[in-house]
Amino acid sequence: MKYIKYILALTILFTFSGCSVYNFTGTGKIDAKTFQVNYFQNVSELIEPGIDRDFTLRLQDLIQNQTNLSLTNNNGDLVYEGEIVDYRVSPMTATAELTAAQSRLMVTVNLRFSNKSKPEENFEKRFSFYDDFSGTSLPSGAQLKKSLDLIFERITQDIFSETLAKW
C-alpha cells in the first residue's frame, strides 16, 4: 500500500510536468521559441578584462539549460541586452593599522528585456550582487574567479526569475 502511494504521487507529478502545468525549473508556459542574448559590454569605470564575455556566456548557458528555447543571434522572440555598469572593489572592515580586513567585490548589470509576443512584459532594470573576501588579497586569480562565479550565478538567476519564472 505504501509503494502504491509513492507510485501514484510520481505519476501525478510527471503528468503535470509533461502537460505544461508545472515543470522543475519553475517557469510557466513560455510563449516563445527563441531567445537572443546580446553582448553585455563593460562600461564601468573600473574595467576587468573578460568579465563582459563571461557574463554574456553565463546568461546564455543558464537560459539554454533551464528552458527548451533555442539560442539565436538575431530576431529572437525574447531579447536580453544591456551592459555591466559597475565593477567595484571596496574595503568593508578595517584593522587597527587602518588597512582593509575585509573587502567587497560588487558587480551591477543593467538589463533591457524584450518579449516580442508580449510587449507589456518589456522592462529595464539593474541587478547587483557582491562577494566579500579577505582584505589582505586583491581580487585576482583564484579569488577573482570564485567571486565572479558567485556573483554571476546570483545575477543570472535573478534575471531568469524576473524574466521567465515570474517570481
Side-chain angles (χ1 to χ4, degrees):
M1 187 68 174
K2 184 176 171 182
Y3 294 112
I4 293 174
K5 288 180 184 178
Y6 287 126
I7 292 171
L8 184 60
L10 283 173
T11 304
I12 291 171
L13 183 66
F14 285 118
T15 301
F16 283 144
S17 175
C19 67
S20 299
V21 173
Y22 179 79
N23 64 39
F24 293 109
T25 63
T27 61
K29 186 172 183 330
I30 301 172
D31 294 334
K33 299 220 183 299
T34 61
F35 75 99
Q36 170 184 337
V37 177
N38 293 338
Y39 188 73
F40 279 75
Q41 187 174 3
N42 187 355
V43 297
S44 63
E45 290 182 16
L46 183 59
I47 302 292
E48 177 63 39
I51 66 168
D52 38 10
R53 179 198 68 239
D54 293 345
F55 178 79
T56 302
L57 293 174
R58 288 286 292 264
L59 184 57
Q60 287 176 350
D61 289 346
L62 176 74
I63 297 169
Q64 278 186 308
N65 291 336
Q66 297 289 322
T67 68
N68 60 355
L69 298 173
S70 299
L71 176 63
T72 184
N73 289 329
N74 53 21
N75 287 333
D77 297 328
L78 306 176
V79 178
Y80 296 80
E81 59 188 351
E83 48 278 331
I84 298 171
V85 294
D86 195 19
Y87 175 92
R88 176 182 317 225
V89 179
S90 310
M92 295 308 296
T93 58
T95 64
E97 293 83 34
L98 297 178
T99 59
Q102 186 177 30
S103 295
R104 174 173 287 179
L105 173 61
M106 183 168 195
V107 177
T108 303
V109 174
N110 186 54
L111 170 75
R112 288 179 298 282
F113 174 73
S114 303
N115 184 337
K116 264 189 192 174
S117 63
K118 294 181 181 177
E120 66 274 6
E121 292 185 357
N122 297 355
F123 68 87
E124 182 170 355
K125 183 176 177 180
R126 288 184 178 212
F127 295 87
S128 295
F129 201 66
Y130 63 89
D131 183 41
D132 293 336
F133 55 93
S134 170
T136 59
S137 65
L138 290 173
S140 61
Q143 177 59 54
L144 179 63
K145 182 178 178 354
K146 176 189 151 302
S147 293
L148 288 176
D149 282 347
L150 175 77
I151 292 167
F152 289 168
E153 178 182 348
R154 178 62 181 266
I155 292 175
T156 56
Q157 280 294 335
D158 288 349
I159 289 172
F160 180 83
S161 294
E162 187 84 18
T163 59
L164 294 171
K166 308 289 191 252
W167 289 4

